[in-house]
């Protein structure tokens, strides 16, 4: 009768080492990189992330045009909250520069915070499940449906705002469900497309779209809002997303084996390099081991602090500039977009630098932690100094640019650490980490709106000090407990039949 025997740890490690040496011999030595299909997939996903994050961000710049600032004009007749009011009644400077007939709303800072944060409720719900689902049915289906759904809901947002505050918030939550499915579902793609020694640069190219998305949205959003009205920002970005989601279905495949245009040499190169990490059979998730793993929790808590930083930068950069310096929405859009352009460039360069350091015999865990420290600590420290520099316009903008640029270095650190510690379950773990991180995306607008309402004079200072404290605590935990070796519970359980 056939029996099974699990390999001992010593035998397993020896077998693993022999397999790795064998695979290294099988991997082609010269395979094109920049013009290859795998880099093409990375750039396509970057464009998808640009669109996805643009749709996530446009409310942050259009809010400046959508809101009637009653704090600056106390004589304004306030209508029912959430309903349009006559913009001729004395709204803020940004609203006065808008085209005639564009609706303006009386939303307090607390209400604005709820609107900002509502999309993140849906994102939290779907990040981890979408990562798991993409690992089962493929990223092509999950991400394609998510991008198309997100685009349709963005097209409906102006109508939802016109129907009332409740309808708008519900629409934003459903939009978040689509957004979360796209943000969490894309990581499964790299389990089958990304050779380990190219992991940092390929993932950085794709993830950098999340930084360039806010740049495009804020830059064009301010211009479009001033020229033809804020509703057209939603119509334009929603339409582009619908078109690109159709192209995604045609151009992207879940793995190199099923791709019709990839060369044989590149296909063998990718599959051989991942032979020890991609399971031939679908294994159940080791949930108990994940819950007990300190490296997993260090990644989750650091992601929470990092997301708190990113949310403050993305959501409140236009609002902070508007409150500190009296400029119109077009100029606000240009200035608020500049930090994210540098973040896009730093994200790509950070991935190249991380892989370069690995070729110089730096330990993988050292590279991951170094990228995370450089991305988190200086960025949050710079923001703490902003309230003390409000008299200097140039210094404020410069600090925002540097802070946002450095933050993107985390894309080569904690953001892809799950691919190191558990490559077989990385899409699920990345979804979990980002899901916990998006708790910050829910809390930041609500907490920030409360702080600004309770203490208008020192509200921004309190927001930035709270950011620094939370970000630093998560970073310290990651430095102490973070790892980059494949965990025992993430290795394939091999059996021998006798």
């Amino acid at each position: 009768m056939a029996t099974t025997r699990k390999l001992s740890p010593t035998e397993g490690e020896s077998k693993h080492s022999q397999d790795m040496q064998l695979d290294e011999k099988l991997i082609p030595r010269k395979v094109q990189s920049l013009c290859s299909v795998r880099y093409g997939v990375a750039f396509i996903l970057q464009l998808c992330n640009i669109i996805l994050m643009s749709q996530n961000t446009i409310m942050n710049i259009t809010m400046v045009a959508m809101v009637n600032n009653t704090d600056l004009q106390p004589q304004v007749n306030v209508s029912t909250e959430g309903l349009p009011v006559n913009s001729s009644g004395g709204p803020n400077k940004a609203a006065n520069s808008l085209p005639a007939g564009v609706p303006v709303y009386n939303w307090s800072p607390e209400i604005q915070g709820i609107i900002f944060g509502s999309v993140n409720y849906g994102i939290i719900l779907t990040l981890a499940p979408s990562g798991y689902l993409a690992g089962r049915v493929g990223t092509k289906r999950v991400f394609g449906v998510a991008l198309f759904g997100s685009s349709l809901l963005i097209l409906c947002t102006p109508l939802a705002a016109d129907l009332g505050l409740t309808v708008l918030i519900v629409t934003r939550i459903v939009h978040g469900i689509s957004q979360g499915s796209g943000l969490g579902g894309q990581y499964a793609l790299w389990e089958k497309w990304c050779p380990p020694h190219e992991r940092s640069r390929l993932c950085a190219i794709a993830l950098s779209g999340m930084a360039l998305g806010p740049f495009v949205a804020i830059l064009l959003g301010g211009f479009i809002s001033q020229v033809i009205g804020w509703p057209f920002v939603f119509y334009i970005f929603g339409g582009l997303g619908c078109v690109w989601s159709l192209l995604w279905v045609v151009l992207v495949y879940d793995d190199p084996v099923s791709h019709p245009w990839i060369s044989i040499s590149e296909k063998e190169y990718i599959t051989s390099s991942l032979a020890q990490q991609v399971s031939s059979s679908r294994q159940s998730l080791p949930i108990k081991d994940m819950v007990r793993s300190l490296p997993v929790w260090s990644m989750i808590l650091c992601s929470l602090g990092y997301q708190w930083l990113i949310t403050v930068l993305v959501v409140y950069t236009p609002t902070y500039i508007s409150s500190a310096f009296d400029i119109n929405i077009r100029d606000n859009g240009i200035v608020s977009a500049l930090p994210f352009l540098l973040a896009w460039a730093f994200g790509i360069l950070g991935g190249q630098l991380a892989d370069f350091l690995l070729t110089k015999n730096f330990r993988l865990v050292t590279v991951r932690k170094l990228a995370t420290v450089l991305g988190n600590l200086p960025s949050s420290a710079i923001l703490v100094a902003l309230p003390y520099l409000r008299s200097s316009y140039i210094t404020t903008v410069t600090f925002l640019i540097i802070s946002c640029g450095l933050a993107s270095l985390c894309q080569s650190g904690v953001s892809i650490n799950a691919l190191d510690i558990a490559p077989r379950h990385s899409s699920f773990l990345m979804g979990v980490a980002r899901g916990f991180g998006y708790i910050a995306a829910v809390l930041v607008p609500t907490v920030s709106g409360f702080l600004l309402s309770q203490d208008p004079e020192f509200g921004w200072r309190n927001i930035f000090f709270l950011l620094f404290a939370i970000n630093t605590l998560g970073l310290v935990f990651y430095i102490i407990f973070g790892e980059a070796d494949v965990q025992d519970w993430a290795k394939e359980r091999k059996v021998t039949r006798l």
Side-chain angles (χ1 to χ4, degrees):
M1 182 176 60
T3 60
T4 60
R5 180 178 66 88
K6 291 186 177 181
L7 296 178
S8 67
T10 304
E11 292 172 326
E13 292 297 329
S14 175
K15 181 69 167 58
H16 179 72
S17 176
Q18 294 174 4
D19 289 341
M20 288 295 291
Q21 293 176 1
L22 179 61
D23 286 331
E24 289 176 359
K25 296 178 181 179
L26 294 175
I27 298 175
R29 293 299 178 186
K30 293 182 179 180
V31 177
Q32 60 180 354
S33 56
L34 193 57
C35 297
S36 63
V37 172
R38 64 188 183 280
Y39 273 78
V41 171
F43 281 110
I44 291 172
L45 189 53
Q46 181 192 70
L47 290 173
C48 290
N49 281 328
I50 290 173
I51 295 174
L52 204 64
M53 290 308 297
S54 296
Q55 295 172 351
N56 183 281
T57 308
I58 54 179
M59 180 67 76
N60 305 335
I61 184 64
T62 58
M63 183 65 75
V64 179
M66 295 170 72
V67 170
N68 176 29
N69 193 337
T70 56
D71 292 334
L72 296 179
Q73 300 291 341
Q75 74 275 18
V76 175
N77 293 323
V78 180
S79 65
T80 303
E81 186 174 73
L83 296 179
V85 298
N86 189 345
S87 61
S88 63
N92 59 13
K93 181 177 180 180
N96 274 325
S97 63
L98 297 176
V102 174
V104 181
Y105 304 91
N106 282 330
W107 291 330
S108 66
E110 293 96 332
I111 294 299
Q112 294 177 47
I114 293 173
I115 294 172
F116 284 143
S118 57
V119 68
N120 298 306
Y121 290 107
I123 291 177
I124 289 175
L125 291 175
T126 52
L127 274 169
S130 64
Y132 177 76
L133 182 63
R136 292 283 178 170
V137 303
T139 302
K140 181 173 183 174
R141 296 177 183 176
V142 174
F143 190 87
V145 171
L147 181 58
F148 187 72
S150 174
S151 303
L152 286 179
L153 288 161
I154 279 294
L155 285 170
C156 297
T157 299
L159 175 61
D162 194 49
L163 292 175
L165 184 60
T166 301
V167 177
L168 175 61
I169 291 175
V170 171
T171 301
R172 295 272 291 168
I173 292 174
V174 179
H175 178 224
I177 292 175
S178 294
Q179 288 264 311
S181 299
L183 294 173
Q186 64 181 273
Y187 293 110
L189 198 69
W190 299 121
E191 294 177 10
K192 299 177 181 178
W193 274 101
C194 193
H197 62 284
E198 295 181 357
R199 184 170 290 159
S200 297
R201 71 188 75 173
L202 286 173
C203 290
I205 289 172
L207 293 176
S208 65
M210 295 184 183
L212 196 58
F215 167 78
V216 174
I218 295 175
L219 179 65
L220 297 182
F223 178 78
I224 295 170
S225 295
Q226 184 164 348
V227 175
I228 58 178
W230 63 261
F232 286 91
V233 181
F234 294 91
Y235 300 148
I236 291 172
F237 281 97
L240 287 174
C242 289
V243 173
W244 191 251
S245 63
L246 298 178
L247 293 175
W248 164 270
V249 175
V250 175
L251 297 175
V252 176
Y253 291 80
D254 287 319
D255 54 62
V257 176
S258 60
H259 200 289
W261 307 309
I262 191 173
S263 66
I264 296 176
S265 60
E266 184 179 3
K267 183 187 301 183
E268 292 178 349
Y269 169 71
I270 296 173
T271 55
S272 298
S273 66
L274 296 174
Q276 294 299 316
Q277 297 190 4
V278 179
S279 178
S280 57
S281 60
R282 295 173 177 174
Q283 296 180 323
S284 60
L285 291 171
I287 299 295
K288 290 184 179 180
D289 292 318
M290 291 179 180
V291 172
R292 296 169 183 167
S293 174
L294 284 176
V296 169
W297 280 107
S298 70
M299 183 177 64
I300 288 173
L301 294 178
C302 188
S303 295
L304 175 64
Y306 173 65
Q307 190 60 49
W308 197 289
L309 167 67
I310 294 301
T311 303
V312 169
L313 286 170
V314 172
V315 174
Y316 280 101
T317 293
T319 304
Y320 179 77
I321 291 176
S322 179
S323 67
F325 310 101
D326 191 22
I327 60 177
N328 62 44
I329 188 172
R330 182 191 61 190
D331 295 339
N332 191 341
I334 295 173
V335 173
S336 300
L338 288 177
F340 301 101
L341 180 62
L342 189 67
W344 169 74
F346 267 50
I348 295 178
L349 292 176
Q352 298 286 339
L353 179 60
D355 282 341
F356 172 77
L357 292 177
L358 292 176
T359 64
K360 300 301 179 181
N361 297 322
F362 277 72
R363 294 179 61 203
L364 181 57
V365 67
T366 302
V367 173
R368 294 287 181 253
K369 290 182 178 180
L370 179 63
T372 305
V373 170
L374 293 177
N376 273 337
L377 191 58
S379 298
S380 55
I382 287 172
L383 291 181
V384 171
L386 281 183
Y388 303 99
L389 302 168
R390 293 185 69 164
S391 60
S392 175
Y393 176 77
I394 295 178
T395 305
T396 297
V397 173
T398 300
F399 272 39
L400 281 170
I401 291 174
I402 295 174
S403 177
C404 197
L406 291 176
S408 64
L409 294 177
C410 286
Q411 294 172 2
S412 302
V414 66
S415 295
I416 60 172
N417 194 204
L419 283 166
D420 304 318
I421 65 174
R424 300 179 194 279
H425 312 294
S426 59
S427 59
F428 175 76
L429 275 181
M430 285 183 174
V432 170
R434 291 189 68 88
F436 272 89
Y438 265 87
I439 294 176
V442 172
L443 293 177
V444 165
T446 304
V447 173
S448 299
F450 175 78
L451 292 175
L452 290 173
S453 298
Q454 295 298 312
D455 191 353
E457 183 178 358
F458 298 107
W460 289 109
R461 184 193 65 180
N462 296 335
I463 289 172
F464 295 141
F465 269 113
L466 179 62
L467 157 67
F468 181 79
I470 293 174
N471 199 10
T472 302
L473 287 174
L475 179 60
V476 170
F477 199 86
Y478 181 72
I479 292 174
I480 296 174
F481 297 107
E483 294 185 14
D485 297 324
V486 178
Q487 303 298 291
D488 291 337
W489 48 264
K491 296 175 181 177
E492 186 173 13
R493 302 300 179 185
K494 296 182 180 180
V495 296
T496 304
R497 294 193 176 272
L498 301 176

